[in-house]
Amino acid sequence: MLLLAMDTATPAVTVALHDGTAVVAESTRVDARRHGELLLPAVDRVLKEAGAALDAVTGIVVGVGPGPYTGLRVGLVTAAAFSSALGGVPVHGLCTLDGLAYTSGVEGPFAVATDARRKEVYWARYDDARTRVTDASVDRPADIAERLAGLPVVGAGALLYPDAFPDARGPEHQSAGALAALAAERIAAGGEGFLDPAPMYLRRPDAQVPKNYKVVTPQ
């Protein structure tokens, strides 16, 4: 097994290789505006670090979000392109929040929250690091503070709003290594629990056509 994992649903552009036992190489850069520019060099970097060729990859793991429109699409389109180039190797979709939960080190019930911009967070609740018990949602921190009262909340979204999430904890950023390790566990257990590699947006894109937009055509 050699899994190539990537996630661009958050400001972290993160890529990792996992051999079925452990992460053998990982690269993470935090830059919310350069997902398309940073992702392919990161793939090349982890392959070189691991001494592996792209055609040795047996599966691709990709974070499906939730996340902002443009950045999220970069990872998903790249994963699909690699799958096609490698003769249709499987693409395993995972909720981005699950990667943060998996690497959190928190025992017992907790939540994960990432920055959704517009003064909102993407979030979900977990019974433990491997078990999400709610669908991912997007809300204003104040609107969910009571529902998450008393729970540790992991991620950049929690750290941004300490008044709503007083027990905010790291990790702040996503790790493709965590996604890859979680995927390797699920594959070894029979391959259940994956999502379709399609974007989980939860809301409309930030960029929209103006309401009073007029099409002007030549006479």
Side-chain angles (χ1 to χ4, degrees):
M1 180 190 296
L2 187 64
L3 299 176
L4 172 64
M6 62 189 73
D7 195 314
T8 58
T10 72
V13 180
T14 180
V15 178
L17 282 175
H18 195 288
D19 65 3
T21 301
V23 174
V24 295
E26 184 170 8
S27 172
T28 299
R29 291 277 301 275
V30 179
D31 191 327
R33 298 182 180 273
R34 298 174 64 208
H35 294 86
E37 180 181 344
L38 296 174
L39 182 57
L40 290 179
V43 172
D44 186 56
R45 191 158 50 247
V46 298
L47 288 169
K48 287 182 178 178
E49 182 180 335
L54 181 61
D55 61 9
V57 170
T58 60
I60 298 170
V61 181
V62 64
V64 303
Y69 183 86
T70 303
L72 176 54
R73 285 179 60 86
V74 170
L76 287 161
V77 169
T78 302
F82 279 136
S83 173
S84 179
L86 294 171
V89 300
V91 181
H92 306 289
L94 285 173
C95 177
T96 292
L97 303 178
D98 291 354
L100 284 159
Y102 185 81
T103 194
S104 67
V106 179
E107 297 181 1
F110 65 101
V112 173
T114 60
D115 182 18
R117 305 175 186 172
R118 303 185 191 177
K119 298 182 179 180
E120 294 179 329
V121 293
Y122 298 118
W123 68 280
R125 288 185 60 155
Y126 293 78
D127 273 349
D128 56 54
R130 293 171 175 82
T131 309
R132 179 162 43 89
V133 294
T134 66
D135 291 334
S137 301
V138 59
D139 288 287
R140 290 184 176 273
D143 293 340
I144 59 173
E146 186 174 343
R147 277 185 277 174
L148 302 184
L151 293 179
V153 185
V154 171
L159 296 168
L160 279 171
Y161 302 101
D163 290 343
F165 311 119
D167 192 0
R169 305 186 186 187
E172 180 176 359
H173 298 296
Q174 175 67 301
S175 161
L179 275 185
L182 178 58
E185 281 190 9
R186 292 185 177 180
I187 291 169
E192 299 294 327
F194 291 111
L195 304 174
D196 290 336
M200 185 188 298
Y201 292 130
L202 301 188
R203 69 183 185 201
R204 296 178 63 83
D206 290 337
Q208 298 183 29
V209 176
K211 291 182 178 179
N212 297 321
Y213 178 76
K214 296 181 180 180
V215 176
V216 179
T217 56
Q219 297 297 325

